[in-house]
Amino acid sequence: MKESAEVIAGVFILLGTIISLISAIGLVRLPDVYTRSHAASKSSTVGVLFILIGTLLYFLISEGYFSIRLILGIIFVFLTAPVGAHVISRAAYRANVPLTKSSVEDELKDYFQEHEKERG
Amino acid sequence: MKPKPNDVILHTVTKLAAVIIFTFSIDLFWAGHHFPGGGFIGGLTTAAGIVLLYLSFDIERIQTNLPIDYKKMAALGVLISVATGMGGMIYGDNFLEQAFGYFDLPVFGETELATAVLFDIGVAFAVIGTAITIITSISEDEL
């Protein structure tokens, strides 16, 4: 029982750390704020979720202890991390942070200029 | 007049997240006797939930919907803590002597009830009141 729990939890936690590492590499390698927030929010959320699920399964199988706090943590991270990234990218766009040079289209730009005209 | 910013995503998630934060703070508060947690960290988590509401909505709207005077709340917390300390003196014990006993409650079964919980309630109230008073008095500063 103990060994199977260690194997299952080990697979989940290893997967989570690898995804988090990929997220960190993306944060260093990508060119501008928006692509970086794409890398940082999605993959690190999934990485943390995998690590938490691995911990939950380990204690559930080896000790029969069902941690409601870990479930709550999984739901909370899943709920709030994308919204944090959304708010940061939005603040960056409103502060006129430029897009990377290779980007093709900026559909929000026309909408924002119209909005500025309305405000006067 | 400035157009109203479109904060639907932030508002919706704040409403859900605030419920989770308040639930977790109550859980931390009750867990304090046997597990990590207690009045201080429970009060701070509640204050964090209220600050999240303040950040997402504006201060006036939260104060009309949650009309609590946080200075009075801090004072009430200190009063409760001192009063539980005095409780032991009535029965001839020392100041801050704690009592506990096992009671057969209708829903929970046999439960351990201790007067330390009342002391913790006082600590939590004092922490919430102090934290929110500091934050609102800084944020409402007008030049």
Side-chain angles (χ1 to χ4, degrees):
Chain A
M1 212 57 174
K2 191 108 180 161
E3 284 77 20
S4 66
E6 276 170 8
V7 169
I8 293 170
V11 168
F12 267 102
I13 292 173
L14 191 66
L15 213 62
T17 35
I18 289 169
I19 295 170
S20 302
L21 179 68
I22 292 170
S23 162
I25 293 171
L27 205 58
V28 176
R29 295 277 299 164
L30 287 171
D32 69 344
V33 180
Y34 309 103
T35 45
R36 277 178 186 168
S37 85
H38 165 81
S41 68
K42 284 183 186 63
S43 46
S44 66
T45 309
V46 174
V48 171
L49 286 189
F50 268 108
I51 292 171
L52 288 179
I53 290 170
T55 320
L56 181 79
L57 287 176
Y58 176 75
F59 283 108
L60 189 64
I61 297 170
S62 71
E63 292 176 23
Y65 175 68
F66 186 79
S67 172
I68 198 76
R69 289 187 181 190
L70 278 172
I71 290 280
L72 210 60
I74 289 168
I75 294 171
F76 197 74
V77 169
F78 192 64
L79 192 71
T80 52
V83 181
H86 160 77
V87 171
I88 290 170
S89 319
R90 193 181 151 111
Y93 193 87
R94 296 213 167 188
N96 292 323
V97 176
L99 275 69
T100 178
K101 286 199 178 68
S102 60
S103 55
V104 184
E105 205 174 343
D106 187 1
E107 287 187 353
L108 255 182
K109 200 175 182 180
D110 305 332
Y111 176 77
F112 259 65
Q113 277 173 349
E114 246 172 61
H115 219 69
E116 290 289 321
K117 255 183 239 159
E118 271 176 33
R119 262 201 288 195
Chain B
M1 171 161 176
K2 278 198 291 185
K4 204 165 152 243
N6 180 11
D7 287 340
V8 181
I9 297 176
L10 187 61
H11 284 180
T12 314
V13 173
T14 301
K15 284 171 196 163
L16 273 172
V19 174
I20 297 179
I21 291 172
F22 288 139
T23 318
F24 183 57
S25 71
I26 293 169
D27 174 58
L28 274 178
F29 176 78
W30 285 115
H33 203 58
H34 298 288
F35 299 101
F40 185 74
I41 193 72
L44 271 185
T45 343
T46 313
I50 297 170
V51 169
L52 177 67
L53 289 177
Y54 275 140
L55 277 176
S56 178
F57 301 95
D58 47 316
I59 281 188
E60 288 81 17
R61 201 195 299 186
I62 300 299
Q63 274 176 349
T64 48
N65 285 312
L66 206 69
I68 301 169
D69 190 343
Y70 291 100
K71 291 188 202 74
K72 282 179 188 161
M73 195 172 181
L76 182 73
V78 175
L79 196 71
I80 291 172
S81 290
V82 173
T84 48
M86 306 278 268
M89 293 167 81
I90 299 171
Y91 297 102
D93 289 328
N94 290 325
F95 181 60
L96 284 178
E97 191 92 29
Q98 304 289 339
F100 68 96
Y102 293 92
F103 297 94
D104 207 12
L105 296 180
V107 182
F108 301 101
E110 191 175 317
T111 319
E112 182 188 1
L113 295 180
T115 55
V117 176
L118 293 173
F119 187 79
D120 249 11
I121 289 175
V123 172
F125 272 29
V127 168
I128 296 170
T130 315
I132 302 292
T133 305
I134 291 170
I135 287 161
T136 50
S137 56
I138 290 171
S139 64
E140 277 183 339
D141 200 347
E142 284 175 16
L143 290 171

